C-alpha cells in the first residue's frame, strides 16, 4: 500500500475560489478514477493558504494506472484548464508514503 500525499498552496486570498472551482469541476471526476481520498482538507494552522489530500493505492502500478485514466478523461482536462486559467495555485508538493511496519491501516 502507498499513500500519495499532496499539498497545494494557493495565492493569498484565493483558496476559497480554488476550492469552489475544484468542487464544481474536479471533485467528481477525480473520485471516479482515484476512489475516495483518505484525507481532503484545508490547512487550519501554519500555511492557511494550503490544502492537503491523500490518496491510497495498492502499489505504484495501481497509482500509475488510475492516474493515467484520470489524465485521459476530458472532464479532468477541462478542470485542469480552468484551474490553470484561474491562476489560484502558487505551488504543489507531492510525496509518496509507505506505511511503517507496525502501522496496520484499516
Amino acid at each position: 500500500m502507498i499513500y500519495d500525499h499532496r499539498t497545494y498552496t494557493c495565492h493569498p486570498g484565493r483558496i476559497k475560489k480554488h476550492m469552489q472551482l475544484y468542487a464544481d469541476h474536479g471533485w467528481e471526476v477525480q473520485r471516479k478514477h482515484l476512489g475516495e481520498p483518505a484525507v481532503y482538507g484545508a490547512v487550519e494552522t501554519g500555511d492557511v493558504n494550503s490544502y492537503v489530500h491523500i490518496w491510497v493505492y495498492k502499489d505504484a502500478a495501481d497509482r500509475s494506472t488510475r492516474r493515467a485514466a484520470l489524465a485521459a478523461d476530458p472532464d479532468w482536462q477541462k478542470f485542469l484548464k480552468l484551474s490553470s486559467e484561474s491562476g489560484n495555485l502558487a505551488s504543489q508538493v507531492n510525496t509518496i508514503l509507505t506505511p511503517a511496519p507496525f502501522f496496520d491501516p484499516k
Side-chain angles (χ1 to χ4, degrees):
M1 176 175 297
I2 62 172
Y3 298 91
D4 185 354
H5 179 280
R6 294 170 168 257
T7 302
Y8 293 80
T9 303
C10 293
H11 292 287
R14 295 174 102 169
I15 192 166
K16 287 183 182 179
K17 289 178 185 176
H18 185 73
M19 295 294 271
Q20 189 61 56
L21 179 72
Y22 176 75
D24 293 343
H25 300 282
W27 175 238
E28 292 301 328
V29 66
Q30 195 167 34
R31 286 175 46 226
K32 176 175 122 180
H33 294 287
L34 304 185
E36 292 296 324
V39 172
Y40 205 114
V43 174
E44 294 244 349
T45 60
D47 188 349
V48 297
N49 296 303
S50 297
Y51 63 98
V52 172
H53 41 109
I54 301 173
W55 303 89
V56 181
Y57 302 97
K58 289 182 270 184
D59 52 33
D62 178 43
R63 178 182 179 273
S64 180
T65 299
R66 288 201 260 165
R67 291 206 56 84
L70 175 64
D73 191 307
D75 289 335
W76 184 247
Q77 290 299 318
K78 177 184 172 187
F79 166 70
L80 293 178
K81 183 176 186 296
L82 291 169
S83 177
S84 177
E85 291 170 350
S86 75
N88 293 327
L89 292 177
S91 67
Q92 171 184 348
V93 176
N94 299 347
T95 306
I96 301 295
L97 305 165
T98 57
F102 52 80
F103 177 67
D104 181 19
K106 301 207 181 212

